[in-house]
């Protein structure tokens, strides 16, 4: 079961956890290829699974199961 984490400093969290080169700005608009929505990066959500792994997720989670790898 995934549990949502409340991130108070979204800039810092993204800097520490963004898995790729070239981290987007919180004000950037990206598209989630899972739900085809355009969202503001700073609206991302974080969910933690039972192993403790934290996923940076689409703002439309949990309805959308897209994560940071699905952002274009
Ligand atoms: Zn999505």
């Amino acid at each position: 079961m995934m549990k949502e984490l409340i991130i108070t400093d979204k800039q810092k969290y993204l800097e520490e956890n963004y898995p790729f080169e070239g981290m987007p700005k919180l004000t950037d608009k990206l598209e989630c290829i899972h739900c085809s929505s355009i969202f503001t990066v700073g609206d991302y959500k974080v969910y933690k699974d039972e192993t403790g792994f934290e996923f940076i997720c689409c703002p439309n989670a949990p309805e959308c199961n897209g994560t940071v790898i699905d952002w274009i």
Side-chain angles (χ1 to χ4, degrees):
M1 193 61 197
M2 301 274 270
K3 178 180 184 295
E4 184 174 4
L5 301 185
I6 302 304
I7 306 301
T8 52
D9 190 338
K10 289 196 145 178
Q11 176 70 30
K12 182 163 178 280
Y13 185 90
L14 202 59
E15 284 170 2
E16 292 173 350
N17 296 281
Y18 189 74
F20 310 116
E21 291 292 316
M23 189 191 101
K25 295 191 187 74
L26 293 186
T27 53
D28 283 350
K29 304 264 191 207
L30 292 179
E31 180 177 354
C32 169
I33 61 171
H34 265 254
C35 64
S36 300
S37 70
I38 306 292
F39 64 95
T40 302
V41 170
D43 291 334
Y44 73 83
K45 291 184 175 176
V46 177
Y47 282 81
K48 186 165 150 177
D49 71 10
E50 55 282 345
T51 70
F53 189 85
E54 296 177 10
F55 294 86
I56 299 173
C57 297
C58 174
N60 296 323
E63 290 77 17
C64 172
N65 64 2
T67 67
V68 67
I69 65 168
D70 303 304
W71 298 357
I72 56 171

